[in-house]
Amino acid sequence: MVVDCIFCKIIKGEIPCTKIYEDSKTFAFLDIGPATPRGGHILVIPKNHYELITDLKDSDLIALTKTVKKISEALLQYGEGLNIIQNNKKVAGQFVPHLHFHLIPRFENDGFIIDRWSSNKYKEGEIDKIAGKIKSLLK
Ligand code: 5GP
Ligand code: ZN
């Protein structure tokens, strides 16, 4: 039982939103604070409450992916390009703890800020060490 989740309340209609699409397992609506002045920034969420991508049950995975693809098809016509971003935990920029995908239509010179990270370099031997560590964590 989840208490006080803003996105759960939006799904239930307790908080208003501008809905774009809904089916039995997923919900898509306009982000209240679009990432560019051109707007059209959409949040796609599962109706079941999960916090992180790793919490998502396989039974909701296909429906969610399909909705992300469906909305992406529309947004690639609305804009000139598209970024899909999904934040997990505060340190990665997640402020609403209900799993969500940001679908952000892009336009030439739209002023989007986190467009491209600065590219770092691995130290000697570090790339294999990190790859080994991550592979050892795979289930
Ligand atoms: P996060 O930073 O957690 O990845 O993204 C949360 C997003 O939810 C933000 O982009 C924010 O603008 C959006 N948001 C927060 N509260 C509301 C709301 O009440 N309605 C809508 N439509 N979007 C919201
Ligand atoms: Zn929720």
Side-chain angles (χ1 to χ4, degrees):
M1 179 76 182
V2 176
V3 190
D4 223 27
C5 169
I6 193 167
F7 287 178
C8 282
K9 286 182 179 165
I10 285 176
I11 292 165
K12 285 188 236 155
E14 292 168 9
I15 292 176
C17 77
T18 305
K19 185 170 83 179
I20 298 292
Y21 173 79
E22 176 178 16
D23 60 30
S24 62
K25 292 189 168 217
T26 69
F27 195 91
F29 59 108
L30 284 172
D31 193 299
I32 203 168
T36 82
R38 303 290 292 269
H41 174 169
I42 291 175
L43 299 172
V44 177
I45 63 178
K47 284 190 171 173
N48 286 327
H49 180 94
Y50 304 105
E51 182 173 347
L52 306 174
I53 188 74
T54 44
D55 297 331
L56 184 64
K57 287 210 177 107
D58 286 356
S59 53
D60 283 328
L61 183 62
I62 290 176
L64 190 61
T65 310
K66 276 186 167 176
T67 301
V68 168
K69 184 180 171 192
K70 183 184 183 74
I71 303 295
S72 296
E73 281 163 355
L75 288 183
L76 278 170
Q77 294 173 71
Y78 173 74
E80 297 157 10
L82 175 70
N83 286 113
I84 299 176
I85 298 171
Q86 196 273 310
N87 301 325
N88 293 277
K89 299 199 179 181
K90 273 211 177 78
V91 71
Q94 182 179 20
F95 293 98
V96 176
H98 183 127
L99 170 65
H100 52 280
F101 284 85
H102 294 264
L103 275 59
I104 303 170
R106 298 298 309 280
F107 302 84
E108 205 65 55
N109 300 316
D110 63 13
F112 190 62
I113 299 170
I114 47 167
D115 200 359
R116 191 75 198 165
W117 49 90
S118 56
S119 191
N120 293 279
K121 281 197 165 54
Y122 285 109
K123 293 186 199 105
E124 183 76 34
E126 198 186 18
I127 194 163
D128 291 329
K129 226 169 119 187
I130 292 173
K133 169 81 180 164
I134 294 168
K135 282 186 199 169
S136 77
L137 295 170
L138 290 176
K139 281 182 184 156

